[in-house]
Amino acid sequence: MCGIVGYVGSKNATPILLDALEKLEYRGYDSAGIALVSSNGIEVKKTRGRISTLRSITGEVEAGGCTVGIGHTRWATHGEPSDVNSHPHLSRSERVAVVHNGIIENYIELREFLAEHGYVFSTETDSEVVSELIDYYYNGDPIEAVRKAEMQLKGSYALGILFKDYTDQIIALRKDGPLIIGVGEGENFIASDIPAILKHTRSIFRLGERELAILTKDGVTVIDKYGERIEHECEHIDWDVDAAEKGGYAHFMIKEIMEQPEVIAKTINPRIINDKRIDLGLKRITDDDLRGIKAIKIVACGSAYHVGVVAKYFMKKTLGIPVEAELASEFRYDDPIVDEHTLVIIISQSGETLDTLYGLREARSRGARVISIVNVVASSIANESEDVLYTWAGPEIAVATTKAYSTQLVLMNLLNWHIANVKGLMRDDEVARAITQLREIPEQMNGMLSDHEQMQYLASLFFNCHSVFFIGRNIDYALSLEASLKLKEISYVHSEAYAAGELKHGTISLIEDGTLVIALCTYRPLLEKMVSNIKEVKARGAKVIAIINHDDTQTEGVADHVVRIPECSEYAIPSLTIVPLQLFAYYIASHKGCDIDKPRNLAKSVTVE
Ligand code: AGP
């Protein structure tokens, strides 16, 4: 996600803004910029790259001594990282400058509307429409202009806004995106996150949903969405900087686990038209191309591969064609049988995993059509794919992926249904119903996350175990793979994921008194088999935690502990089942005092073979 800062006071704003942006660097970014307003107008300095690069181009502005400004670090979602795509965006009239965090879901129609009124755009971003839309409505009253523009916006936004005619103020506005107000002595601040302003003030309040704030050096006025003035009590922040960077969470991993509902919604919503149609925005692979697809191969590594194994089950069932998930490191040496009628789906959070990149190149060299699902805009895999579908999970800091995995899962559903609809295998009304069910996931997931104590308790019972077996059948087996990897990579506890039916063919010899087995039992057609498998391992002394459906009464009497997922559609089950298993891994590692965000021997992006 992007980072926003703003300062209004009596000091030179430039060094304050630059320092504040540096405090947000941990969030990940690819470009940065500042805008300053004075009697000379609005001055914008922005660049692709690091804040140190931005410092090198703001030197002359520093001499100007402007005392009011906004700043931004950009994590690209729409439009590749570049100087022109970075924020702040200054309207062509040079009357309005904006920094934006979030996603404007209807930016294409807004660009069309503004173009009809003579506006011209110079970037590929969704954010640029915000500055031009405010300019469109501006007739001397900044608040009226902002509110009128806001009424046209769909999506999420945290905004910092400067007006050329108002050199003593910043306007801030938010919906869905975080924005805090820092209250100082003769100076006031806006920021996406506390670390940015902790050096200047520990008195902050969080702007409420659709509240608009007007900041001057003498005070902050807040107006709610009804136009009524409201007061906010300041809270005193006693965090240190390290805690502040994690939003008060102990680790980035748990912060990112908790962010999953929000980023799933951010990844789904901009691709749903009128609540019933999918628009993936594919640019090169046409519907005719998709109609001609006779086989699908999903190629990835690690957790991204595990997403592919889950998706494989759904896609085979929906599309009725061969669908395989393959490890990229194997695929590229396996003389893969692919051709122009094969769709290869590449999945990668970083977009830089070398095994996966080579798998992509192997597929393309053999004529396959390639769509990639990537979290980092303009990454190597994104750039070498025919089409790319970005997950909008924001920067993922923890080495162990959680929110990127979850956004990949839901995006694969949309891709599956789009292909099925194009092939005439899913009617429009069936797609609409599936979309409705998919959009229930964030709320269902929030419910599970609020009940994280159960997993904390179970982790306290089993954190000393030396080996854990995750077993499941069909999609539950696919989920077992990811659950096992999560536990291994952050807690260093040995673990194996096993197709439950396979256990008896050898590995069950390892089950002994006290061995922990986590049985995933959400796939209803094979529940009876899973109950038998649980009995098999219990007969050999295992302790069993079962992940079960909301209405499962069979497993409850057999397992030692049960964790229920809420009532949900079959499409939602993987997204919901993985949550307690992520939490279990996290709390086990936490009990063991592991370096959870940076596990030993691991890198966030494996750019070696
Ligand atoms: C996941 O928790 C691991 N960090 C790792 O398996 C990762 O999923 C794998 O290296 C693939 O990375 P990518 O998604 O960036 O390609």
Side-chain angles (χ1 to χ4, degrees):
M1 55 280 191
C2 304
I4 288 175
V5 297
Y7 172 77
V8 54
S10 306
K11 299 170 190 159
N12 185 344
T14 300
I16 292 172
L17 294 172
L18 293 171
D19 290 346
L21 289 176
E22 278 178 347
K23 296 293 184 294
L24 296 182
E25 284 192 298
Y26 70 91
R27 297 155 62 98
Y29 69 105
D30 46 57
S31 52
I34 63 171
L36 300 154
V37 64
S38 70
S39 53
N40 301 323
I42 297 176
E43 175 93 23
V44 174
K45 293 291 179 186
K46 60 183 188 176
T47 180
R48 174 174 185 169
R50 313 305 295 168
I51 290 166
S52 52
T53 309
L54 179 60
R55 279 188 188 282
S56 66
I57 65 171
T58 54
E60 63 277 17
V61 174
E62 196 155 351
C66 293
T67 63
V68 183
I70 53 179
H72 187 269
T73 49
R74 181 175 184 244
W75 168 269
T77 54
H78 296 69
E80 65 176 7
S82 67
D83 293 356
V84 73
N85 285 342
S86 49
H87 301 210
H89 289 292
L90 180 61
S91 63
R92 277 188 173 275
S93 66
E94 301 195 355
R95 299 188 300 178
V96 185
V98 169
V99 288
H100 169 227
N101 182 18
I103 291 178
I104 304 301
E105 296 172 3
N106 61 334
Y107 79 100
I108 291 174
E109 60 191 81
L110 290 174
R111 284 173 77 119
E112 290 164 1
F113 166 77
L114 288 164
E116 288 163 11
H117 292 80
Y119 282 80
V120 179
F121 292 88
S122 52
T123 81
E124 312 155 82
T125 67
D126 57 328
S127 305
E128 189 184 6
V129 297
V130 179
S131 55
E132 298 299 0
L133 197 59
I134 293 172
D135 182 81
Y136 172 77
Y137 285 112
Y138 180 60
N139 285 317
D141 181 339
I143 296 170
E144 180 193 56
V146 171
R147 281 299 191 196
K148 282 185 174 178
E150 185 202 8
M151 300 317 290
Q152 307 301 320
L153 298 179
K154 288 181 185 164
S156 57
Y157 44 86
L159 299 171
I161 308 162
L162 294 180
F163 283 83
K164 177 185 172 187
D165 299 340
Y166 291 79
T167 59
D168 64 344
Q169 71 177 36
I170 295 172
I171 288 183
L173 172 70
R174 67 164 288 271
K175 171 182 170 287
D176 293 345
L179 198 57
I180 60 171
I181 306 292
V183 179
E185 298 291 325
E187 58 186 18
N188 292 298
F189 306 79
I190 63 171
S192 299
D193 205 355
I194 289 169
I197 56 174
L198 215 48
K199 175 180 170 185
H200 304 285
T201 177
R202 288 183 174 269
S203 292
I204 69 126
F205 65 87
R206 298 170 197 281
L207 207 53
E209 191 67 357
R210 293 201 52 226
E211 289 179 356
L212 182 149
I214 304 106
L215 290 81
T216 67
K217 68 180 174 57
D218 302 320
V220 183
T221 303
V222 180
I223 302 168
D224 69 13
K225 60 188 175 185
Y226 304 108
E228 298 298 320
R229 194 168 162 171
I230 56 172
E231 297 297 328
H232 276 279
E233 284 293 311
C234 277
E235 59 180 287
H236 179 77
I237 299 298
D238 53 12
W239 293 338
D240 62 20
V241 172
D242 184 50
E245 285 186 357
K246 301 178 184 74
Y249 289 103
H251 301 96
F252 281 111
M253 183 175 176
I254 188 68
K255 177 171 180 277
E256 288 158 4
I257 287 173
M258 296 299 174
E259 285 173 354
Q260 291 180 117
E262 174 196 348
V263 297
I264 284 172
K266 279 184 175 175
T267 297
I268 296 173
N269 291 342
R271 295 174 163 113
I272 307 298
I273 310 302
N274 299 327
D275 296 330
K276 60 187 176 189
R277 190 167 62 81
I278 296 169
D279 180 357
L280 297 177
L282 297 176
K283 294 184 172 62
R284 295 192 181 89
I285 295 181
T286 65
D287 287 354
D288 270 345
D289 293 333
L290 293 176
R291 273 187 277 273
I293 293 300
K294 296 185 171 59
I296 292 176
K297 286 189 182 284
I298 306 166
V299 177
C301 299
S303 295
Y305 164 71
H306 299 153
V307 169
V309 182
V310 173
K312 171 197 76 172
Y313 288 104
F314 283 116
M315 296 183 105
K316 278 170 65 179
K317 184 177 164 188
T318 309
L319 304 175
I321 58 176
V323 181
E324 294 173 276
E326 300 208 28
L327 287 168
S329 53
E330 290 293 309
F331 172 79
R332 60 181 290 223
Y333 296 113
D334 184 31
D335 195 14
I337 300 173
V338 299
D339 61 19
E340 69 278 11
H341 296 298
T342 308
L343 174 63
V344 171
I345 303 170
I346 299 287
I347 305 176
S348 175
Q349 186 284 130
S350 63
E352 299 300 343
T353 301
L354 197 56
D355 285 327
T356 308
L357 180 59
Y358 282 142
L360 184 163
R361 291 174 180 169
E362 186 66 31
R364 295 208 68 179
S365 71
R366 294 167 181 261
R369 310 309 302 272
V370 175
I371 294 175
S372 63
I373 291 186
V374 176
N375 195 43
V376 180
V377 173
S379 51
S380 304
I381 287 170
N383 289 340
E384 295 193 26
S385 301
E386 286 183 89
D387 269 308
V388 54
L389 299 176
Y390 286 117
T391 48
W392 288 317
E396 193 172 60
I397 312 295
V399 165
T401 182
T402 50
K403 62 178 185 173
Y405 171 91
S406 291
T407 52
Q408 291 161 0
L409 270 185
V410 294
L411 202 40
M412 285 297 280
N413 273 315
L414 293 183
L415 180 56
N416 181 27
W417 301 336
H418 174 69
I419 297 171
N421 187 243
V422 162
K423 278 176 168 275
L425 299 168
M426 255 179 114
R427 299 189 312 271
D428 292 353
D429 63 305
E430 292 174 313
V431 171
R433 187 165 59 251
I435 287 169
T436 302
Q437 292 171 332
L438 198 69
R439 294 177 96 170
E440 291 167 355
I441 290 175
E443 191 176 328
Q444 292 162 335
M445 192 179 278
N446 269 321
M448 299 190 74
L449 289 170
S450 61
D451 182 25
H452 60 273
E453 288 85 3
Q454 182 187 15
M455 300 321 292
Q456 210 163 6
Y457 166 67
L458 290 173
S460 69
L461 297 182
F462 295 106
F463 73 94
N464 272 323
C465 57
H466 298 292
S467 186
V468 182
F469 290 84
F470 292 83
I471 62 173
R473 291 171 178 259
N474 197 277
I475 290 176
D476 282 328
Y477 167 58
L479 291 164
S480 298
L481 294 169
E482 177 59 11
S484 175
L485 176 60
K486 285 281 99 42
L487 182 64
K488 281 184 280 192
E489 66 178 327
I490 65 171
S491 73
Y492 315 145
V493 172
H494 175 260
S495 162
E496 291 192 55
Y498 247 84
E502 186 61 13
L503 211 52
K504 58 186 175 294
H505 297 286
T507 302
I508 199 164
S509 66
L510 292 177
I511 305 296
E512 55 194 18
D513 258 359
T515 302
L516 176 59
V517 173
I518 298 181
L520 281 68
C521 307
T522 68
Y523 186 66
R524 292 177 186 275
L526 297 175
L527 179 58
E528 298 290 345
K529 301 282 186 188
M530 282 306 297
V531 172
S532 301
N533 292 137
I534 291 172
K535 288 175 179 171
E536 281 167 12
V537 296
K538 287 230 14 96
R540 290 159 177 81
K543 291 293 182 192
V544 176
I545 298 173
I547 314 294
I548 65 175
N549 288 310
H550 72 287
D551 56 355
D552 179 340
T553 53
Q554 295 181 62
T555 316
E556 195 160 36
V558 178
D560 297 285
H561 307 275
V562 295
V563 177
R564 288 187 186 279
I565 64 169
E567 185 171 6
C568 64
S569 73
E570 63 170 322
Y571 308 119
I573 288 177
S575 300
L576 299 178
T577 303
I578 200 63
V579 167
L581 299 167
Q582 291 169 339
L583 290 170
F584 184 72
Y586 173 78
Y587 288 122
I588 290 267
S590 181
H591 272 292
K592 293 171 68 77
C594 297
D595 185 358
I596 291 171
D597 287 333
K598 299 186 180 68
R600 67 189 182 199
N601 310 330
L602 295 180
K604 183 60 185 169
S605 178
V606 183
T607 54
V608 293
E609 285 193 83

